[in-house]
Every structure is written in structure tokens, then in C-alpha cells.
Amino acid sequence: MINIALPKGRLGDKAYAVFEAAGFGCPSIHAPGRALVFENEETGVRYFWVKPSDVAIYVERGAADIGVAGKDILLEYSPEVYELLDLQMGRCRMAVAAAAGFTDIQGRALRVATKFTNIAQEFYAGKGREIDIIRLNGSIELAPLLGLSDVIVDLVETGSTLRENNLSELETIAHITARLVANKASYKFKHDEISKLVSEVEGQLAVT
């Protein structure tokens, strides 16, 4: 049985649809109710829904053999997992944004509001820019508008939220998509089963 961690929400639904089309469906997952774990002995898969940011933890710790995690999570937390496949969905970008008319004043630390603290620190360390990290968990766009930060580092999909809040995108740090990741021990001991699933999913992606 291959244990698969799926992120709750739209991305998980899209990922499951690909698995199902590739021959790894689990009919009970469509049943109404609040169940979180679903399995199909015929196809040898067991799915469970988890918070998107927790997928990599379940995979890294071995509770899941494979899972679907955003590249942003992989960059932020650097979990000890194998990245097997770019699923080419959940496409967005990690970007720096600021209020219109922003000018970076050298000589003092740049105040950066974000929940992606490791990504921000690594990005600005590569530029040799001293920063002051302000960790926020929501409504990141408010920070520069209220003078809490100079810039923000956040995920951007269409840019409409930035524009609605009079913010401008300054730089792209990384392009983000969902990735299929595997537990390192599982990949060794269930290599044939996982490789078959990956091959079928990859083939399905090629025709969609």
C-alpha cells in the first residue's frame, strides 16, 4: 500500500484527479462526510488529506510514502525528501513587492514582512542586503501600507491583490509549482510501486 498525503483544497483536488486518471483512484474519497483517510486495496493506494504546509512533514517523517507539496514549502523548510516530479499545477511565484513609489534606502536594514522567513533571508543574503524580518501569518499586504515594513515577500498568482492594495511587484525570487515528493526510506523499500505510480502520473500529465 502506498500512503499518499494530499493538501486540502483546490490543489489537492486537482492532484487527486491526476492520480485517479492515471489509474490510482479511490472511489470512497468522493463520499460525503468528514473522513480524512481513504484506501483502495485494488490499486494499492491510501490517501489522506492534510494541511498544505504539513504535507512535507508527513512525508519526511514516513507517515506518508509520497505527497504533493508546493515548491514554496520545500524552499522554506528544506525537508529531507526526494523531489520526484513537477506536477505543473498550482503555478505562482515567490516575489518581492512594495508600495508604489518605494525606494530602497541603503545604510539601514530593509524591513521585510513575510511568513516565508527562510526564503527571504536566503534571497537577501545572496544580495548582501541587511534585512529586518517581520514574521506575519496573514494579510501580508497590509504591512507596507501601514508602515510596518518596507517590502513584503509573498506568493503571487495573478498580481490582482497587489494592484488592489496599490503595491507593485519588484522582483521574482522563484517560480512555484506543486511537486510530488517521496520519503527517502519509502523510495528505497517501495521503489517499484512508487516508480510505477510516478511513471503513470507523468504520462497522464503529458496528455492533459
Side-chain angles (χ1 to χ4, degrees):
M1 190 74 73
I2 300 177
N3 296 295
I4 306 172
L6 291 176
K8 293 179 181 178
R10 185 175 57 179
L11 178 59
D13 292 338
K14 290 180 66 175
Y16 172 74
V18 173
F19 286 122
E20 186 175 52
F24 297 93
C26 184
S28 63
I29 206 168
H30 297 297
R34 296 178 178 272
L36 296 175
V37 181
F38 312 88
E39 64 179 61
N40 185 345
E41 292 186 5
E42 287 186 19
T43 54
V45 291
R46 179 186 294 115
Y47 293 97
F48 49 93
W49 298 110
V50 300
K51 186 177 178 181
S53 59
D54 289 343
V55 169
I57 297 173
Y58 278 86
V59 175
E60 182 179 37
R61 296 283 183 164
D65 298 310
I66 61 175
V68 176
K71 184 65 175 178
D72 54 315
I73 299 299
L74 304 180
L75 290 172
E76 177 65 16
Y77 299 107
S78 300
E80 289 293 320
V81 298
Y82 290 135
E83 189 175 318
L84 303 181
L85 187 63
D86 183 347
L87 295 174
Q88 303 166 34
M89 60 182 66
R91 196 176 300 277
C92 56
R93 57 196 178 276
M94 187 69 64
V96 180
F102 163 76
T103 300
D104 187 359
I105 301 174
Q106 301 295 319
R108 68 171 178 81
L110 182 71
R111 297 172 302 159
V112 182
T114 185
K115 65 178 177 180
F116 299 100
T117 56
N118 292 326
I119 292 174
Q121 287 171 341
E122 185 173 341
F123 175 70
Y124 281 106
K127 297 167 71 74
R129 183 70 170 93
E130 181 187 1
I131 63 171
D132 173 18
I133 287 281
I134 302 166
R135 181 176 176 81
L136 297 176
N137 293 309
S139 301
I140 309 292
E141 297 85 6
L142 271 177
L145 299 179
L146 300 180
L148 179 63
S149 74
D150 300 308
V151 301
I152 64 172
V153 169
D154 203 9
L155 289 173
V156 177
E157 187 173 358
T158 64
S160 60
T161 302
L162 295 179
R163 291 189 293 272
E164 288 171 6
N165 288 283
N166 200 31
L167 300 179
S168 301
E169 193 172 336
L170 303 180
E171 298 180 84
T172 297
I173 297 175
H175 292 281
I176 305 297
T177 51
R179 309 299 168 98
L180 185 63
V181 297
N183 173 269
K184 290 187 173 183
S186 296
Y187 192 68
K188 177 180 179 181
F189 293 109
K190 298 183 180 181
H191 184 268
D192 290 347
E193 296 91 337
I194 292 175
S195 294
K196 180 178 185 297
L197 183 147
V198 171
S199 178
E200 296 294 336
V201 167
E202 192 169 21
Q204 183 61 35
L205 290 172
V207 299
T208 55

